[in-house]
Amino acid sequence: MNTDSKIAEIYDNIVARNAGEPEFHQAIDELFDSLKLVLRKDPHYGENKLIERLFEPERQIIFRVPWTDDNNEVRVNRGFRVQFNSVLGPYKGGIRFHPSVNLSIVKFLALEQVFKNSLTGLPIGGGKGGADFDPKGKSNMEIMRFCQSFMMELHRHIGEYRDVPAGDIGVGAREIGYLFGQYRRLNHRHESGVITGKALNWGGAQVRTEATGYGVVYFTEQMMKAQGESLDGARIAISGSGNVAIYAMEKAQELGATVVGFSDSSGYVSCPDGVDLELLKDVKEVRRGRVSDYAKDATGATFHEDGLIWDLDYDIAMPCATQNEIDADVAQLIADKGVRYLAEGANMPSTLEAIDVYRDAGIIFGPAKAANAGGVATSALEMQQNASRDSWSFEYTEKRLQGIMTSIFKRCEDAAAEYGVEKDYLTGANIAGFKKVADAMCAQGVI
Ligand code: NDP
Ligand code: 2IT
């Protein structure tokens, strides 16, 4: 059997044994396109069922999360933790609380995390977790009781050397605090390195809050530099208005760009003269409000319930909300705006068909697993500080983050060049991420 038909057979088997998981299939599809190039050149990566082992999570945990709401009604949610690959280090990856969370979504996120974490060059494996819990409209006490019940089960599966969760959609500093508190109580130990994204006064790291968004902008800067361009004077549209979006806006504006709009699931804000970040942080992080609340209080900003953030006029697009927010039609709309660069802050925000549109339009594309790796990389720096009972300054940590984003870009660029697909940073990211994990799996035997 030739290499291509062998790859096709492996792919069909993986898809068949994970039936009914469309997001997981999509992430696999995207990776296989690149892995084909590696297997054709280096067939030894196909030995000992390496590919089949790589796409089979090491462990998948699904558990019941019962909790009591403020009306004393018992509620039941489903919790997940997928421990995908620990060949490079303890499982590492966020926890998402959103009503849409299911096994397919957690598996795609965990798989992406394996490759992303590998690309950072830091000693972290890949995992992801979450629950189909909707934090919207819940009181603080309800959030706390939910987090405590979630950790009641999760605690036996995690640990500084085992699995280190962090935040993701719906899980920020408040939730990390409740989760850590319950872990500490259950285990009778203050194990700082068991979770990242902690507050600065009890083991958190400078720059972790900002890291994903800043990293997306640093990655974009690198893509532009390779074309002899810079962010100064660029107009950027950013979807979402959560942790990743806010700090992407902050760094982009610091570097001379104007952020002309942002969004949430209820609509978008147009702000042609830029974003007032102090106000936006107050609305989103303190008041936990909506982007429409920002438009009410800001000057020169309008809220639009209908249409898309991508209807605005801009040079650079940064999707920072959620998976599959851009399909082929939306990608075409973005391309028709004359956009030259698109960097993904969210995980898998573009469908496979959208990525084809970017390619055809010549849009320079920063794929999620590279462009948004700054968050998890800074989590690894938090683990490093916790292990040495140290804490670094903002300036030093930011320099480290910047250095890591530059090396990630270089890894993508070099792998793309080596495989003859210059400037295809998606293929470069997949290949570079894969090789480090695959080489370690070969070295550690059939596990
Ligand atoms: P937040 O919960 O802070 O913010 C999420 C934002 O995305 C909100 O504006 C939310 O709007 C919007 N959003 C979420 N789901 C949907 C949906 N189904 N439809 C429309 N809008 C939606 O999450 P983060 O900023 O942390 O995460 C955003 C993305 O970045 C995710 O894909 C996440 O996996 C990824 N990411 C996060 C990292 C981190 O360190 N936090 C690291 C790397 C990637 P609304 O409030 O209306 O729901
Ligand atoms: O998708 C991601 O990389 C994250 N949500 C951050 C994970 C982490 O462990 O910091």
Side-chain angles (χ1 to χ4, degrees):
M1 214 191 287
N2 70 27
T3 311
D4 280 9
S5 46
K6 197 174 151 200
I7 297 168
E9 193 185 313
I10 296 173
Y11 171 83
D12 289 344
N13 284 336
I14 294 173
V15 168
R17 61 193 272 114
N18 294 284
E21 297 180 348
E23 292 84 3
F24 186 45
H25 293 174
Q26 185 182 335
I28 295 171
D29 267 6
E30 188 224 271
L31 281 160
F32 257 78
D33 267 350
S34 312
L35 297 194
K36 271 184 206 152
L37 303 182
V38 183
L39 288 165
R40 279 182 205 141
K41 201 168 163 188
D42 300 306
H44 82 275
Y45 285 122
E47 287 167 12
N48 294 327
K49 300 264 188 312
L50 182 105
I51 303 297
E52 289 88 337
R53 284 188 288 128
L54 179 63
F55 285 93
E56 180 70 17
E58 287 177 15
R59 198 169 294 99
Q60 308 180 51
I61 303 149
I62 304 181
F63 50 96
R64 179 202 297 159
V65 189
W67 57 284
T68 309
D69 68 19
D70 287 345
N71 298 319
N72 270 332
E73 288 287 332
V74 173
R75 308 267 201 118
V76 183
N77 285 99
R78 187 171 294 167
F80 301 87
R81 186 75 184 166
V82 172
Q83 299 179 328
F84 218 109
N85 193 303
S86 62
V87 78
L88 297 178
Y91 308 106
K92 181 82 197 87
I95 290 178
R96 175 179 292 191
F97 291 165
H98 192 273
S100 62
V101 167
N102 58 35
L103 186 60
S104 170
I105 289 180
V106 180
K107 279 168 78 174
F108 110 68
L109 287 164
L111 177 63
E112 285 279 299
Q113 201 81 50
V114 172
F115 287 74
K116 181 194 308 193
N117 294 5
S118 164
L119 269 178
T120 66
L122 298 163
I124 39 178
K128 199 85 183 192
D132 59 354
F133 169 73
D134 188 358
K136 283 204 186 76
K138 303 289 188 299
S139 71
N140 257 326
M141 291 312 248
E142 288 178 322
I143 298 281
M144 185 184 76
R145 287 195 295 273
F146 181 80
C147 288
Q148 289 178 339
S149 180
F150 186 84
M151 187 53 83
M152 199 63 153
E153 179 64 30
L154 187 69
H155 81 101
R156 69 187 97 250
H157 305 291
I158 62 176
E160 184 182 353
Y161 292 103
R162 182 174 286 155
D163 183 356
V164 182
D168 193 79
I169 292 177
V171 177
R174 171 180 60 172
E175 292 73 20
I176 294 294
Y178 295 147
L179 290 165
F180 182 81
Q182 182 76 339
Y183 181 88
R184 180 172 61 78
R185 185 181 192 195
L186 286 165
N187 288 278
H188 190 202
R189 51 195 259 136
H190 192 113
E191 189 185 325
S192 315
V194 69
I195 197 159
T196 60
K198 300 181 291 295
L200 295 178
N201 54 347
W202 49 273
Q206 297 284 357
V207 193
R208 177 61 191 89
T209 305
E210 296 82 358
T212 312
Y214 280 19
V216 176
V217 175
Y218 289 141
F219 193 89
T220 307
E221 235 190 343
Q222 291 297 319
M223 293 197 294
M224 297 181 84
K225 200 170 149 204
Q227 301 294 113
E229 294 186 55
S230 89
L231 275 163
D232 195 27
R235 290 166 308 162
I236 310 186
I238 297 187
S239 64
S241 51
N243 173 264
V244 178
I246 288 175
Y247 292 94
M249 294 181 212
E250 182 166 283
K251 185 51 74 181
Q253 296 204 151
E254 209 180 295
L255 294 174
T258 303
V259 175
V260 296
F262 53 88
S263 64
D264 63 19
S265 56
S266 54
Y268 73 93
V269 165
S270 161
C271 48
D273 299 326
V275 182
D276 173 348
L277 276 155
E278 210 178 316
L279 175 61
L280 183 61
K281 284 185 198 173
D282 180 60
V283 170
K284 300 302 295 188
E285 295 177 347
V286 182
R287 290 192 256 155
R288 296 182 187 278
R290 313 294 299 153
V291 294
S292 50
D293 298 324
Y294 171 92
K296 274 183 215 139
D297 294 352
T299 44
T302 47
F303 174 67
H304 305 259
E305 207 171 338
D306 299 319
L308 295 173
I309 172 85
W310 312 116
D311 291 331
L312 296 168
D313 287 316
Y314 48 93
D315 317 302
I316 300 175
M318 292 185 184
C320 295
T322 194
Q323 65 275 355
N324 292 332
E325 50 177 303
I326 302 179
D327 62 13
D329 291 342
V330 179
Q332 196 56 56
L333 167 68
I334 294 173
D336 291 345
K337 296 279 172 185
V339 161
R340 301 271 323 282
Y341 300 92
L342 185 144
E344 296 183 325
N347 285 307
M348 206 168 79
S350 313
T351 64
L352 297 169
E353 297 74 23
I355 296 172
D356 288 339
V357 173
Y358 306 155
R359 279 202 178 109
D360 291 346
I363 294 175
I364 299 178
F365 174 51
K369 60 174 75 69
N372 77 27
V376 74
T378 308
S379 278
L381 301 182
E382 182 171 333
M383 291 163 71
Q384 203 172 317
Q385 289 164 79
N386 293 152
S388 58
R389 301 187 185 283
D390 197 0
S391 65
W392 308 341
S393 71
F394 193 96
E395 293 67 28
Y396 174 73
T397 317
E398 196 184 359
K399 278 261 163 313
R400 292 286 300 262
L401 169 63
Q402 220 172 342
I404 291 166
M405 294 314 297
T406 308
S407 356
I408 292 173
F409 177 75
K410 185 109 192 28
R411 285 186 189 107
C412 299
E413 196 180 35
D414 290 350
E418 189 188 336
Y419 283 81
V421 289
E422 276 83 5
K423 297 203 192 311
D424 178 347
Y425 302 125
L426 172 62
T427 304
N430 288 341
I431 292 177
F434 168 76
K435 280 193 164 179
K436 187 167 185 215
V437 173
D439 289 341
M441 284 179 73
C442 290
Q444 292 180 28
V446 176
I447 303 286

